[in-house]
Each structure stands twice: as structure tokens, then as C-alpha cells.
Amino acid sequence: MSEDAEPDTLSVVLAPTRAGAFDADLGLDGDTPVLTHFYLPDAGRSVTAVFGLDLSTPAGRGRARFHAHPQGPKEPTKRDDFAAAVIVAVPPWDRTEVRAYDRSGTRLSLEEVTAEPPEESLGDAAL
């Protein structure tokens, strides 16, 4: 999506699943958040523009945010929407150019996990 949006920036809400909710042992503490979902940036844009509310992200979700910076920098900026965790990517849009930060801009470790998130139904969603 970052490459397709270029030269524009991109901001995507990310939501976690607790590591303990996975069927497989991920080698992480059960309470560790694993980013498993994203919400399309265009979803609900008209409602947000009119009412100023983000209705495209379910309540209780979206504790992280991904930002694509086509012209840099590799760190969060004052223009970015902040969350508990902020992931920033820059060209050439590969894994080596992705970094994670906390709300205050301190760099965090980012570990890629290969696993299928638990299956969910509409009954599992917070409405």
C-alpha cells in the first residue's frame, strides 16, 4: 500500500492480538501484543470528515499506527497520528526500512512472527 500511495504519505490503523490467543506457541509472553489486523485508510473517511469521528476502527482496537514516509524521515514526525506503538516505513519499502517507536519516539524492537492469527467471528468483535 505504501508503494501504491507514493508520493503521498499513508497512515494505517493497526490492531493487536495477544500472543496467548494464538493456537501455536510464538515463544512470547501470552500478554505480548502481536499486530495482526489493519484497517483500510479510506474506510469511513467521509464520516470522519463530516463528524470528526473515526468510525472505521472498532472500539478497543487500533493501539498501533503504521506511517509511510515516501520522502523520509525514518522516525515519527509531528504530523503523524500517534498511538501506543508507531511503525514507520520509508522507500524502498522493504523490511529493512521499517522501524517501530513508542508514543514518545523511543525506538522499539520489531520482531516478525510467522503465524496465523486466531479465527474470529462477528460475535468476537466489540460492537
Side-chain angles (χ1 to χ4, degrees):
M1 286 191 302
S2 300
E3 190 170 17
D4 290 343
E6 195 171 5
D8 295 326
T9 60
L10 178 71
S11 179
V12 178
V13 173
L14 303 172
T17 301
R18 286 183 323 98
F22 285 76
D23 292 333
D25 179 13
L26 303 181
L28 301 168
D29 179 83
D31 289 330
T32 301
V34 178
L35 297 174
T36 54
H37 298 75
F38 68 92
Y39 296 95
L40 295 172
D42 291 333
R45 185 172 282 177
S46 350
V47 173
T48 302
V50 173
F51 297 105
L53 300 171
D54 179 4
L55 299 178
S56 62
T57 305
R61 302 300 297 241
R63 296 191 178 130
R65 183 146 312 248
F66 170 87
H67 292 285
H69 291 172
Q71 275 73 51
K74 296 180 181 184
E75 299 83 24
T77 70
K78 291 180 181 180
R79 292 182 307 270
D80 292 334
D81 293 324
F82 277 79
V86 178
I87 297 176
V88 177
V90 297
W93 310 123
D94 62 25
R95 176 66 182 92
T96 63
E97 298 301 330
V98 178
R99 291 168 177 75
Y101 300 88
D102 68 10
R103 183 181 311 274
S104 66
T106 302
R107 185 130 180 227
L108 301 172
S109 64
L110 184 62
E111 183 177 328
E112 189 172 336
V113 175
T114 304
E116 288 287 325
E119 212 171 293
E120 294 179 338
S121 69
L122 285 177
D124 296 335
L127 299 177

